[in-house]
């Protein structure tokens, strides 16, 4: 399924009235993982209150031991500090990479902003080297923009 075909499906999930926010995030994780061949793990990490760390939110894929990630550590921790998308073509070439699964070859992490504040991020792992590009970044930025609406109305 193309990114353009997935956008209305993301919007349908966001606007569901019978689902709670966490359920919607989980559905989005599964939607992306199930419909984009090279998205092998899809999940959200959120800032843990005033602590300089991220906590694992809803995800789709293999379980991970990384439930808490300090700011600055790993790709997710770096995005929490930089507030910028990070695309890693080859995780083996990264000194500050936290391995969640030995099959992961590349990763993209896109920050999630609500009212100009970074509250978390979407993290995608792929078992294919150099899987992600600007189209993925644009699509995931769109997804996060839509998800941010869930936090503005709460």
């Amino acid at each position: 399924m193309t990114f353009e075909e997935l956008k209305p499906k993301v919007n349908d999930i966001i606007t569901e009235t019978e689902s709670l926010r966490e359920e919607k995030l989980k559905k989005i994780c599964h939607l992306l993982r199930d419909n984009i061949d090279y998205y092998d793990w899809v999940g959200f990490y959120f800032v843990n209150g005033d602590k300089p760390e991220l906590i694992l939110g809803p995800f789709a894929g293999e379980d991970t031991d990384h439930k808490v990630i300090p700011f600055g550590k790993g790709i997710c921790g770096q995005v929490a500090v930089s507030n910028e998308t990070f695309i890693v073509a080859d995780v083996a070439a990264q000194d500050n990479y936290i391995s969640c699964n030995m099959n992961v070859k590349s990763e993209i992490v896109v920050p999630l902003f609500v009212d100009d504040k970074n509250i978390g991020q979407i993290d995608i792992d792929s078992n294919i080297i150099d899987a992600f590009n600007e189209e993925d970044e644009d699509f995931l930025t769109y997804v996060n923009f839509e998800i941010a609406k869930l936090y503005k109305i709460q």
Side-chain angles (χ1 to χ4, degrees), residues 59-149:
F59 68 93
E62 290 187 33
D63 199 13
T64 178
D65 291 335
H66 303 287
K67 310 268 192 257
V68 178
I69 299 176
F71 281 14
K73 187 165 170 72
I75 308 308
C76 290
Q78 291 177 72
V79 169
V81 173
S82 73
N83 296 320
E84 295 179 3
T85 295
F86 198 158
I87 298 175
V88 180
D90 182 359
V91 297
Q94 286 292 314
D95 292 338
N96 191 11
Y97 173 70
I98 302 172
S99 177
C100 295
N101 176 326
M102 60 186 277
N103 296 320
V104 174
K105 303 289 188 246
S106 57
E107 181 174 13
I108 184 171
V109 179
V110 180
L112 170 60
F113 295 98
V114 175
D115 298 327
D116 297 324
K117 181 179 179 186
N118 183 346
I119 66 157
Q121 53 203 227
I122 189 168
D123 178 19
I124 316 281
D125 293 338
S126 179
N127 298 342
I128 299 170
I129 202 159
D130 200 17
F132 306 107
N133 59 37
E134 193 174 299
E135 290 179 13
D136 295 280
E137 180 179 355
D138 291 346
F139 172 67
L140 295 170
T141 299
Y142 170 84
V143 170
N144 278 356
F145 179 81
E146 294 303 313
I147 288 170
K149 295 174 183 176

